[in-house]
């Protein structure tokens, strides 16, 4: 199993969320990316000319009935790192201002 680096999600019946991940396997040199469905055993090769989001969307729609709201997003840990850094930078700025005018 690789490290998930990107998620494709779509809404199915009853607003259930279905997810397909791109997983990067670093055991290979150079690394290889795989498209992996989190709901079934679907894991096609990415050696294709088809766009990855099209493949993910088609699978989610045809196999799982999730044909609405297809989105792609970065892995949560990347996004979290960004969300943490911004408030941290603001806090440092406030601390500097407080010390400067105290
Ligand atoms: Zn699937």
């Amino acid at each position: 199993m690789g490290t998930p680096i990107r998620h494709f999600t779509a809404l199915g019946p009853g607003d259930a969320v279905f997810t397909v991940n791109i997983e990067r396997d670093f055991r290979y040199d150079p690394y290889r990316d795989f498209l992996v469905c989190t709901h079934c055993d679907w894991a096609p090769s990415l050696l294709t000319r088809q766009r990855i989001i099209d493949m993910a969307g088609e699978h989610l729609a045809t196999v799982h009935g999730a044909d609405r709201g297809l989105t792609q997003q970065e892995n949560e840990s990347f996004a979290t790192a960004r969300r943490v850094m911004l408030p941290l930078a603001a806090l440092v700025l406030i601390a500097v201002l407080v010390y400067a005018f105290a």
Side-chain angles (χ1 to χ4, degrees), residues 1-5 21-36 44-47:
M1 275 293 115
T3 306
I5 56 168
N21 292 330
I22 295 180
E23 293 189 358
R24 182 158 292 178
D25 196 331
F26 292 100
R27 286 173 301 177
Y28 296 98
D29 185 24
Y31 60 77
R32 290 186 201 170
D33 288 346
F34 297 89
L35 205 52
V36 179
S45 161
L46 287 180
L47 301 174

Side-chain angles (χ1 to χ4, degrees), residues 19-20 37-42 59-60 63-64:
T19 307
V20 167
C37 181
T38 59
H39 307 280
C40 64
D41 291 335
W42 186 72
H59 173 79
L60 289 170
V63 177
H64 301 292

Side-chain angles (χ1 to χ4, degrees), residues 31-85:
Y31 60 77
R32 290 186 201 170
D33 288 346
F34 297 89
L35 205 52
V36 179
C37 181
T38 59
H39 307 280
C40 64
D41 291 335
W42 186 72
S45 161
L46 287 180
L47 301 174
T48 169
R49 290 182 183 277
Q50 217 182 335
R51 287 176 62 218
I52 293 167
I53 190 167
D54 288 344
M55 290 174 64
E58 190 184 311
H59 173 79
L60 289 170
T62 56
V63 177
H64 301 292
D67 54 2
R68 291 176 292 123
L70 178 65
T71 55
Q72 60 173 314
Q73 67 215 87
E74 279 179 76
N75 182 269
E76 192 62 28
S77 57
F78 290 115
T80 304
R82 259 209 309 273
R83 270 204 303 275
V84 169
M85 281 314 291

